Amino acid sequence: MSSSSLKVVPQPVRRQVEDGLRAAIISGRFLPGDHLPDRMLCETFGTSRSVVREAVRLLEAEGLVVVHPNRGPFVAILSEEDATDIYEVRAALEALAGEGFALRATDEQRATLRAVYQELCDARADTPREALLDIKQRFYEILTAGSGNALATRMLGQLLIRNSQLRATSLSSPDRLPETVEEIGQVIDAIEKRDPVATGAACRAHVRAAAAVAIRILRERSSAA
């Protein structure tokens, strides 16, 4: 095959489709179990089949998409058992990151984390779920970066992608936002005291509370199906 017959797709295009598809799954535009045929995705994102398939492969590796032989890609369905496993590992990693942040974060990182937390405090019941998820994502990016543990940062980052559907599920509960603000506030208070033990405990408590809400909703959906 000659080089002139090869179509080179710029990386930014692939990244845009990948990010767009991930956001559509996290926000609930594409629901668990939804079929994601090539033609529909090409029309949705205005790009070629090869770009769409590459994005699907990347999200399959993240656990957000499953590809069934002879049927194609579908949005992954998380079971109650999957959610329990994810939250258990997330609690351990998030506590480790919080402990590291309390010990090693710079003054600038602490100030930035407080500023993002204030955005969460300012959110209202009608704040779009996508905006809330963006705030939480930035909070975790700062927390892990300031932890000084590159391995924990990488592992938690990968897990939070897998956990994104569950975070959206827990935030769908009308009472969850004020609870989240209070729980994250406990994390911030412990960080400002530079207390790694209390920070780790507050991180674990937050994750366990989110897990309880998400698993309850998953159980209710399963019973109603």
Side-chain angles (χ1 to χ4, degrees):
M1 181 181 295
S2 67
S3 59
S4 61
S5 65
L6 294 175
K7 182 178 180 181
V8 178
V9 180
Q11 180 64 31
V13 175
R14 293 198 295 268
R15 184 60 180 270
Q16 288 169 18
V17 176
E18 175 193 342
D19 290 346
L21 181 55
R22 184 185 297 109
I25 292 172
I26 293 171
S27 69
R29 180 181 178 185
F30 297 141
L31 297 172
D34 278 357
H35 188 204
L36 302 172
D38 288 351
R39 182 174 179 179
M40 182 271 287
L41 293 179
C42 289
E43 292 175 353
T44 299
F45 296 106
T47 190
S48 67
R49 182 171 295 181
S50 62
V51 173
V52 161
R53 288 183 172 177
E54 178 64 19
V56 166
R57 281 195 292 270
L58 290 168
L59 267 64
E60 182 184 18
E62 293 177 357
L64 294 177
V65 172
V66 293
V67 178
H68 298 295
N70 304 317
R71 297 176 61 203
F74 292 78
V75 179
I77 299 174
L78 285 172
S79 67
E80 184 179 332
E81 292 76 16
D82 293 332
T84 298
D85 290 346
I86 289 171
Y87 275 116
E88 283 183 356
V89 177
R90 177 186 157 191
L93 289 172
E94 197 165 314
L96 180 62
E99 290 167 2
F101 192 96
L103 287 171
R104 293 185 282 270
T106 65
D107 289 342
E108 181 180 359
Q109 288 170 324
R110 294 171 191 275
T112 304
L113 194 71
R114 285 195 299 271
V116 174
Y117 171 62
Q118 187 58 51
E119 289 184 49
L120 189 65
C121 293
D122 294 339
R124 303 180 303 178
D126 60 352
T127 299
R129 187 166 54 181
E130 293 84 352
L132 294 175
L133 290 170
D134 176 68
I135 294 171
K136 289 293 296 293
Q137 182 63 34
R138 286 185 284 120
F139 182 90
Y140 287 122
E141 287 173 355
I142 299 162
L143 184 75
T144 55
S147 72
N149 188 319
L151 182 58
T153 296
R154 185 165 61 252
M155 293 174 67
L156 184 57
Q158 293 170 344
L159 187 64
L160 286 173
I161 292 173
R162 187 74 173 95
N163 191 218
S164 55
Q165 283 177 287
L166 293 170
R167 280 160 52 202
T169 297
S170 65
L171 285 172
S172 68
S173 173
D175 299 326
R176 186 58 193 147
L177 178 57
E179 293 172 349
T180 297
V181 170
E182 181 177 353
E183 292 156 14
I184 297 296
Q186 296 296 318
V187 175
I188 294 294
D189 289 345
I191 285 172
E192 291 184 341
K193 294 175 183 176
R194 299 180 185 270
D195 186 336
V197 176
T199 303
C203 287
R204 287 190 188 91
H206 167 58
V207 175
R208 287 169 180 164
V213 174
I215 291 170
R216 173 178 57 78
I217 293 173
L218 288 175
R219 189 174 296 144
E220 290 171 353
R221 289 177 180 175
S222 178
S223 299

